[in-house]
Each structure stands twice: as structure tokens, then as C-alpha cells.
């Protein structure tokens, strides 16, 4: 899979009849249309970023993203988390630097009138992390607050409480022979009649500074081929990024941690055919004391389902849109197909490789079981 | 329980089949997951429409080739679990 930026067309005009709502003196925020693939969807978007996967040229767009005027939500509009439900199939979010409207899970409009001090990258990240969960809920597509990585054995999903180290663990795997499916927001291919798959989201991870520095230390020796190197997203030619972990891309309001684009093993491995079959789910937990050895425990039945349910992203939006029953059934299907493990490791970065080895062993078992099942079928 | 009592599912109960022989139910506004084995799942399936207790017993007795008394005895704890989990209502006869 190519790591090249998606094609853009800076000369493309916004929708006829609508003046793009961008601040004065920010011509760089003018629509620059491009197409990218993420979360199983093809986006035709006025905002693109280099870490978004280019869409196949002949794939029809599932979602359009336009820079367009968006009126404020009426005071009476019901609240669903950060969204206001402004009509059937329509919701509006008032972020600090832009107003967003999503309609029917197909159309996203970004009003950038207040984005004078905001970079394009931050807007792209807000689109990826702040807008798409709502979009997926509108589509009934079960957004998961999780990280995921794929290797030759299939894909692993990492869930856990906030602060459980999902981002760091997935980013670490992405530096050691796995492809990063995504971090913070994951969508699955839940089509009937085929194994559940993990879609690629964005090649970015939301990392605290200490995690990023630890990853950079892991990266210190640089045996990677040039094509697996990081995209430089900070446009700072005088500061070469460490292998795989670029400079912070955007740490705007609402994004919390710094966001870094990662070069992962996808290109080096020849590219995966996304979605990649889901082999196992790992619920990450911390282990005490610090010198304890990482451990893996299979979680069965209802406990597995509960862990998965805790991973539904923006659950208040799911409830407001009436998605809970369908999602509950889908989570059951995930629990039925993929073993769920508690993966406990001490809060030391140098314990991560041993934990990763446990995960890999569990993946090998799961892949072998899946292959045997396929053969017997 | 009396023969004429009518058992009905509460609206909005969510279902997740986590294996061939285990169904998990969750009632509206509840965080108490209820797991049903294969036979209890079968009971739940039969309650898709409200049903008299006597009809439920007789249908199970026919399909499982067991005496009604035995079915009744086995059914009581299952129904108690469903009631306790807020998953069904039982309307007393008459």
C-alpha cells in the first residue's frame, strides 16, 4: 500500500453557490479537494492530510466533506455528547475552532469561520478523531474507542480504560513489524457471511510525550528501508523525525495528547489487504509491581462482552441515535469470533516487548484455530 | 406460577449471541448482564410473543419429549432469572 499523500486538487472549487467560510488572511484553508480511504469508507474531502490513505481511483465516495457555512444548532436541539441533534439524520457540533454538521452519515460540512489560528493538520485531525465517530454512529457502523494493529497472522484489537496504554502499545507494535490499523478510533468490517475484519483508520497515534520519547528510543537504530520512514508532518526540514514517529502533528483543543503520524510496517510488508481479519482482542491492564512479568488471561463469555461494550466510542451518541440494540448484537458477534484476553503488563516501556510476545503467541493460536475451522468447513 | 399467567418480554431488551449455546441479554437501563444457556435461550426465543405459562410448558414438553411436571420445575428458575433481570413481565391470570 502506498504511503504517498492522497491526490489533491488545489484548484477545485467548492460546491457551486456556497462561499467557503474561512477566515480572512487564511487562503491556505481554502478547499483543496482530495480523496482518501479510512474506516472502510471513501471520503471525497475538501480537507486531506498526508497520513490519510489515498482512495482507489475508481471507488465511489461514501462521504463528502465540504467547507461550507453551517448555522448554529437551535437551543432546543437535544444534546448527545458533543453533538446536538438538529433534525432527522442531522447533527451539529460546536468545536472551539469550527462548527460541524453531519447529515445522513454521508455529508460532512465544516464551517471554518473561526479557524484563524488553526492549522490545516489540526482541522484534519479533528475531522478524523472528533467528527468521524459521529459519522459512524449515523451510519450504524460501531465506532470503537480502541487501537488496532495488523500482522501476517491477522489483526489485533486493543481496548481498555483511558490511560491503559492502548496508543503506546499499538504504536510500539507498529515499530516492530506490524501495521498500525489506527489508534483511538477503529471501525470493523461487520458484513454478514464473512469473518470480521479491521479497517484501516488513520496512520496516526495519540501519544503522551513520554510515550513518544520512549518510542523514539526504541527507534534509535535505523535499519528501515526508506519507504518505511516517517512522513514529516511538521514541515520542519531542519528537524528530521525519528524513524516512524514524526513530530507532533497537532495538539489542538479537544485532541488532548499530541498526535503523531507513524510510519509502520505496512509498506515494508508489501501492504495489507484491508480490512484484515480480526484474530484477537486484548484488554490492556497495568500490572503491579513494576518488576512483574507480563501475563495473559483469556476472558470468556459475558466478561468479554462487557469489555467490548466498554469500548464503544461516544456511547451517548449511540444511545441517542437508537443504535444500542444493533451494536450489542454486533459486539456479541465479535466476542463469538475473536478470543478476548486481558493483557497485563507493568508500567515500564521495556516490558512492552515481552507483552507483545504474549500477544503474538495468542494471535498464532487464534490464527491456527481459524485456519482449522476454515479447513473443516 | 399459574397456568393462565401470561409471560411477555419487556420492550427494548438487547441480545448478543456470544457462542452457539450462550445468549446474553441486557435490559433497558440495566447494567446486569444475564447469560442464558441453550435451553434458556430457547425459552427466550419462544417468548417473542406473549405466551401463557401453560402454553410455554406444553410446547417445551412436546419438543423436549419430557413430562410437563419436569419442564415446569426446570422452567421456574429460568423465569425467575428473567424476571429478576428485568427482562420479562408476568401478568397474573384473571
Amino acid at each position: 500500500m502506498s504511503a504517498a499523500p492522497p491526490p489533491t486538487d488545489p484548484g477545485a472549487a467548492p460546491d457551486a453557490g456556497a462561499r467557503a467560510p474561512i477566515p480572512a488572511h487564511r487562503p491556505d484553508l481554502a478547499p483543496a479537494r482530495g480523496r482518501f480511504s479510512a474506516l472502510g469508507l471513501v471520503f471525497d474531502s475538501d480537507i486531506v492530510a498526508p497520513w490519510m490513505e489515498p482512495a482507489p481511483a475508481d471507488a465511489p465516495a461514501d462521504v463528502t466533506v465540504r467547507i461550507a457555512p453551517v448555522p448554529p444548532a437551535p437551543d432546543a436541539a437535544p444534546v448527545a455528547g458533543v453533538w446536538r441533534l438538529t433534525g432527522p439524520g442531522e447533527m451539529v457540533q460546536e468545536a472551539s475552532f469550527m462548527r460541524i454538521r453531519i447529515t445522513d452519515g454521508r455529508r460532512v460540512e465544516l464551517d471554518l469561520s473561526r479557524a484563524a489560528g488553526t492549522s490545516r493538520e489540526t482541522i484534519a485531525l479533528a475531522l478524523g478523531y472528533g467528527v468521524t465517530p459521529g459519522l459512524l454512529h449515523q451510519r450504524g457502523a460501531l465506532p470503537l474507542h480502541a487501537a488496532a494493529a495488523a500482522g501476517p497472522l491477522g489483526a489485533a484489537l486493543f481496548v481498555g480504560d483511558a490511560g491503559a496504554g492502548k496508543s503506546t502499545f499499538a504504536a510500539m507494535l507498529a515499530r516492530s513489524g506490524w501495521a498500525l490499523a489506527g489508534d483511538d478510533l477503529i471501525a470493523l468490517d461487520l458484513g454478514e457471511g464473512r469473518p470480521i475484519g479491521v479497517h484501516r483508520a488513520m496512520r496516526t497515534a495519540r501519544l503522551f510525550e513520554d510515550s513518544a520519547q520512549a518510542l523514539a528510543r526504541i527507534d534509535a537504530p535505523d535499519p528501515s528501508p526508506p519507504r518505511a520512514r516517517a512522513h514529516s508532518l511538521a514541515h520542519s526540514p531542519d528537524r528530521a523525525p525519528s524513524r516512524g514517529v514524526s513530530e507532533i502533528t497537532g495538539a489542538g483543543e479537544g485532541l488532548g495528547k499530541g498526535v503523531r503520524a507513524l510510519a509502520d510496517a505496512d509498506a515494508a510488508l508489501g501492504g495489507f489487504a484491508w480490512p484484515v481479519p480480526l484474530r484477537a482482542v486484548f484488554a490492556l491492564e497495568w500490572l503491579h509491581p513494576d518488576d512483574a512479568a507480563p501475563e495473559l488471561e483469556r476472558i470468556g463469555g459475558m466478561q468479554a462482552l462487557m469489555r467490548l461494550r466498554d469500548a464503544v466510542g461516544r456511547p451517548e451518541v449511540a444511545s441517542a441515535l437508537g443504535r444500542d440494540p444493533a451494536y450489542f448484537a454486533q459486539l456479541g458477534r465479535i466476542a463469538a469470533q475473536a478470543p478476548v484476553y486481558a493483557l497485563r503488563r507493568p508500567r515500564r516501556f521495556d516490558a512492552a516487548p515481552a507483552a507483545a510476545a504474549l500477544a503474538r503467541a495468542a494471535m498464532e493460536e487464534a490464527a491456527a484455530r481459524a485456519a482449522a475451522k476454515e479447513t473443516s468447513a | 406460577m399459574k397456568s393462565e399467567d401470561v409471560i411477555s418480554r419487556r420492550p427494548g431488551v438487547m441480545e448478543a449471541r456470544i457462542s452457539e449455546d450462550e445468549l446474553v441479554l441486557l435490559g433497558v437501563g440495566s447494567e446486569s448482564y444475564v447469560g442464558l444457556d441453550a435451553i434458556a435461550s430457547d425459552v427466550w426465543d419462544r417468548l417473542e410473543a406473549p405466551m401463557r405459562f401453560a402454553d410455554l410448558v406444553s410446547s417445551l414438553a412436546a419438543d423436549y419429549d419430557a413430562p410437563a411436571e419436569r419442564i415446569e420445575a426446570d422452567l421456574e428458575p429460568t423465569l425467575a432469572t428473567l424476571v429478576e433481570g428485568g427482562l420479562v413481565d408476568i401478568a397474573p391470570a384473571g
Side-chain angles (χ1 to χ4, degrees):
Chain A
M1 196 167 283
S2 166
T8 59
D9 179 7
D15 289 346
R19 190 180 63 81
I22 60 172
H25 314 301
R26 287 298 306 273
D28 59 305
L29 292 184
R33 200 158 291 175
R35 287 159 48 84
F36 64 91
S37 291
L39 306 156
L41 300 171
V42 171
F43 291 76
D44 182 302
S45 176
D46 282 350
I47 293 281
V48 289
W51 62 89
M52 293 167 164
E53 202 69 35
D58 55 349
D62 301 295
V63 179
T64 59
V65 180
R66 296 289 176 262
I67 298 173
V70 175
D75 288 343
V79 175
V82 296
W83 294 95
R84 306 291 294 270
L85 308 183
T86 49
E90 182 188 291
M91 49 196 205
V92 169
Q93 182 186 150
E94 196 76 46
S96 57
F97 54 83
M98 66 177 174
R99 184 179 299 128
I100 308 127
R101 176 166 59 192
I102 311 179
T103 307
D104 296 331
R106 299 190 60 81
R107 182 176 176 83
V108 177
E109 292 157 295
L110 309 174
D111 189 322
L112 302 181
S113 306
R114 295 196 308 268
T118 308
S119 70
R120 250 191 121 79
E121 285 81 5
T122 298
I123 293 166
L125 288 169
L127 172 64
Y129 287 116
V131 177
T132 43
L135 180 80
L136 292 176
H137 279 311
Q138 277 195 340
R139 301 178 70 93
L142 185 58
L144 294 174
H145 178 219
L153 300 166
L157 186 67
F158 300 100
V159 300
D161 295 339
K166 302 180 290 293
S167 307
T168 306
F169 199 72
M172 189 273 298
L173 290 177
R175 306 308 314 125
S176 48
W178 298 59
L180 182 72
D183 172 44
D184 203 69
L185 173 66
I186 295 294
L188 302 177
D189 175 21
L190 291 158
E192 293 294 331
R194 57 180 184 266
I196 295 167
V198 175
H199 287 300
R200 183 153 227 188
M202 291 195 298
R203 199 176 300 154
T204 51
R206 301 176 70 179
L207 298 169
F208 289 116
E209 186 55 30
D210 59 341
S211 299
Q213 287 180 6
L215 283 165
R217 283 195 293 275
I218 293 172
D219 289 338
D222 190 358
S224 66
R227 63 182 177 168
R229 295 177 76 88
H231 306 295
S232 176
L233 298 171
H235 307 296
S236 305
D238 56 330
R239 290 184 299 164
S242 61
R243 183 176 81 96
V245 186
S246 81
E247 301 295 328
I248 291 178
T249 300
E253 293 161 85
L255 293 174
K257 309 173 194 172
V259 180
R260 287 167 169 81
L262 302 180
D264 57 17
D266 187 273
L269 292 171
F272 284 96
W274 301 90
V276 175
L278 175 65
R279 295 292 182 224
V281 179
F282 298 95
L284 297 181
E285 298 174 8
W286 295 118
L287 189 61
H288 303 285
D290 270 1
D291 60 353
E295 56 187 50
L296 190 72
E297 181 192 359
R298 176 88 182 257
I299 305 171
M302 274 191 284
Q303 291 295 322
L305 182 64
M306 291 164 78
R307 298 294 186 103
L308 288 168
R309 186 158 177 259
D310 285 344
V312 174
R314 306 279 185 192
E316 65 283 358
V317 181
S319 298
L321 298 182
R323 302 294 186 211
D324 289 339
Y327 286 173
F328 197 65
Q330 288 171 338
L331 294 169
R333 202 178 143 215
I334 298 167
Q337 178 182 308
V340 178
Y341 297 92
L343 178 55
R344 305 185 183 98
R345 75 272 188 240
R347 202 185 278 265
R348 289 184 289 110
F349 287 110
D350 60 3
L358 290 176
R360 189 182 296 273
M363 294 277 288
E364 282 169 3
E365 271 186 42
R369 273 198 303 273
K373 197 173 171 186
E374 223 166 76
T375 306
S376 67
Chain B
M1 189 170 296
K2 294 176 182 158
S3 301
E4 299 302 312
D5 288 351
V6 175
I7 310 158
S8 55
R9 289 185 186 180
R10 282 201 177 170
V13 174
M14 301 193 291
E15 304 178 28
R17 182 159 293 286
I18 59 173
S19 71
E20 280 181 11
D21 52 10
E22 189 170 10
L23 182 72
V24 178
L25 304 179
L26 185 62
V28 173
S30 169
E31 285 304 317
S32 297
Y33 292 62
V34 175
L36 304 181
D37 63 16
I39 295 176
S41 298
D42 186 15
V43 171
W44 176 256
D45 289 343
R46 288 166 196 255
L47 293 173
E48 192 167 4
M51 203 171 195
R52 290 188 325 137
F53 180 65
D55 294 337
L56 180 60
V57 169
S58 61
S59 74
L60 288 165
D63 291 346
Y64 287 89
D65 195 20
E69 298 74 26
R70 167 84 187 279
I71 294 289
E72 276 193 35
D74 288 349
L75 198 50
E76 294 275 359
T78 299
L79 290 176
T81 300
L82 293 175
V83 170
E84 197 177 323
L87 306 169
V88 300
D89 285 318
I90 298 179

